Amino acid sequence: MSSSAVSAASSAPRAVGVDFWFDPVCPYTWITSRWLREVERVRDVQVRWRVMSLAVLNEGLAVDPEDPEGLYGEYMKAHGRVCAAVRERYGNEALGRYFDALGSRVHERQDWSGMTAALAEAGLPAELESVAMTSEYDAVVRASHDAGTALVGTDVGTPVLAVEGAGALFGPVVSPAPRGEAAGRLWDGVVLMAGVRGFHEFRRSYGEPDFG
């Protein structure tokens, strides 16, 4: 490579890093992740997928708003455990692939038994599913969750998004996910808001999740 080519390569803008903490059972988080995938297409960003847990977030409450009858707690934790195992053993890109495959089954097809098929689609070994109903990765999930909430506080939810060089926010909660340049414009706005230290909240009512 010539010296001019090396110089050009070294001066090329680097992709903006985006840390995205998600609980895989949250449908609105899934929709936000589809927006982020579209942002990857229209802006120069690189997403780092990280696990958080509504179960951890709500564990001090008398009634868990995500599971008021106390029927699904372990099942909800199971998906986070597998996601944590994927990231620990196979890295960020593998977790992104797995979440893509899992979310399309769980949220868009209502196939809550889709772990095995999602692992296969992501090119990952089926034995990862064996951690789902164990506590082996609970400490990993908690540490990842705590790293995300440390940036935004514990009075929020999932997802948490941290923009390199700007800041972190809860959200955005958006339904359906915007596409094309509309996704890029929302991204530009999120970056601006994340960079304002005193920015706290925009909010309006929303209905059932729209997967587009």
Side-chain angles (χ1 to χ4, degrees):
M1 183 182 290
S2 68
S3 59
S4 60
V6 170
S7 176
S10 62
S11 62
R14 186 171 62 88
V16 174
V18 185
D19 292 281
F20 183 72
W21 279 268
F22 66 94
D23 185 316
V25 304
C26 174
Y28 291 102
T29 297
W30 167 249
I31 296 170
T32 301
S33 76
R34 299 310 87 193
W35 163 71
L36 262 187
R37 282 302 198 195
E38 190 73 0
V39 171
E40 286 183 311
R41 193 177 67 82
V42 299
R43 295 291 188 270
D44 193 11
V45 304
Q46 182 175 28
V47 179
R48 294 183 288 257
W49 305 93
R50 302 186 183 277
V51 182
M52 68 181 298
S53 170
L54 288 169
V56 172
L57 187 72
N58 297 328
E59 65 185 355
L61 301 179
V63 177
D64 185 341
E66 309 298 330
D67 184 26
E69 303 298 325
L71 301 176
Y72 306 108
E74 284 302 306
Y75 183 74
M76 292 170 66
K77 292 176 185 177
H79 285 284
R81 290 163 174 160
V82 174
C83 285
V86 170
R87 196 179 202 284
E88 283 285 293
R89 299 187 196 181
Y90 296 97
N92 178 68
E93 292 301 318
L95 178 54
R97 294 195 312 272
Y98 175 62
F99 187 38
D100 288 344
L102 180 71
S104 64
R105 287 172 169 79
V106 167
H107 298 298
E108 297 181 17
R109 306 178 208 170
Q110 295 297 298
D111 176 12
W112 287 85
S113 63
M115 279 187 195
T116 302
L119 287 166
E121 183 177 327
L124 295 164
E127 59 90 14
L128 283 163
E129 191 173 349
S130 66
V131 308
M133 301 306 289
T134 76
S135 61
E136 181 179 354
Y137 280 87
D138 283 4
V140 176
V141 171
R142 185 175 294 274
S144 179
H145 173 92
D146 289 347
T149 56
L151 301 176
V152 295
T154 57
D155 58 340
V156 294
T158 174
V160 169
L161 186 149
V163 182
E164 185 178 15
L169 296 168
F170 158 58
V173 179
V174 58
S175 174
R179 304 292 180 181
E181 185 55 22
R185 290 195 300 270
L186 176 58
W187 167 254
D188 298 339
V190 167
V191 173
L192 287 173
M193 288 185 289
V196 177
R197 184 172 179 81
F199 174 77
H200 175 61
E201 184 176 47
F202 276 143
R203 191 176 181 92
R204 61 184 169 191
S205 298
Y206 54 90
E208 292 299 311
D210 182 347
F211 300 112

